[in-house]
Amino acid sequence: MIVHEGNLSGAGIRLGIVAARFNETVVRTLVNGAVDVARRAGVADDAIELVWVPGAFEIPVVAATLASSGRVDAVLCLGAVIRGDTPHFDYVAGQAASGVAKVGLDTGVPVIFGVLTTDTAEQAEARAGGKAGNKGADAALAAIETVNVLRSLRG
Ligand code: INI
């Protein structure tokens, strides 16, 4: 049996991060969690490129530009869409999710969905360094594992 699994070594991996400024306090915590885990996994400091965008709706177009630049091996998309804040929650969250998925499929570069979609600010805070962990840190690990499993598959 041939089994491919990606390891969690970040050495030699270049990461792009697209972060949405909306709900900035929460998103900065996701960014810090992602950068901290990436560095501890061996990603070099100068191999991380961070781009801020206004809101989650703008993430896909910027993720597409980064993914097709040839400068990064994976793109982490970080944001927080909170239902209580907006009547157009479903549009913003839905477009962010489907746009991010499309960029990954169109470019072949792993694009990780680290956008919180929650009913309340408290739920978002719990997932950004609170009781429910840090989804930015989880996104960084998912990026590294996916890059490594793709390298194994692509030879
Ligand atoms: N953007 C977010 O990232 N999170 C939100 O909760 C949010 N709310 O509540 O509206 C939000 N809206 C802005 C949106 O992403 C775009 O920036 C805006 O519509 C301009 O295109």
Side-chain angles (χ1 to χ4, degrees):
M1 180 170 66
I2 299 169
V3 177
H4 293 276
E5 268 187 309
N7 65 43
L8 295 177
S9 168
I13 291 180
R14 300 161 303 162
L15 293 180
I17 301 175
V18 184
R21 214 179 285 284
F22 208 101
N23 295 312
E24 184 168 351
T25 309
V26 166
V27 179
R28 276 198 186 276
T29 310
L30 298 178
V31 171
N32 290 342
V35 170
D36 178 54
V37 159
R39 283 184 180 141
R40 286 194 284 128
V43 177
D45 206 36
D46 62 2
I48 303 174
E49 196 167 340
L50 171 63
V51 185
W52 286 96
V53 297
F57 195 83
E58 284 71 42
I59 287 176
V61 65
V62 173
T65 304
L66 256 186
S68 54
S69 70
R71 297 201 302 272
V72 297
D73 300 303
V75 180
L76 275 67
C77 301
L78 305 178
V81 191
I82 300 173
R83 188 180 291 277
D85 288 350
T86 175
H88 61 287
F89 170 95
D90 292 313
Y91 298 107
V92 174
Q95 288 301 316
S98 58
V100 164
K102 184 172 188 306
V103 173
L105 293 173
D106 287 352
T107 61
V109 171
V111 183
I112 306 300
F113 189 67
V115 178
L116 303 177
T117 55
T118 63
D119 288 330
T120 65
E122 291 68 31
Q123 289 168 349
E125 284 154 15
R127 291 160 177 74
K131 274 187 239 160
N134 186 313
K135 298 301 174 196
D138 294 349
L141 290 177
I144 291 167
E145 181 174 346
T146 307
V147 169
N148 286 329
V149 80
L150 284 171
R151 285 182 176 172
S152 166
L153 271 176
R154 290 169 179 164

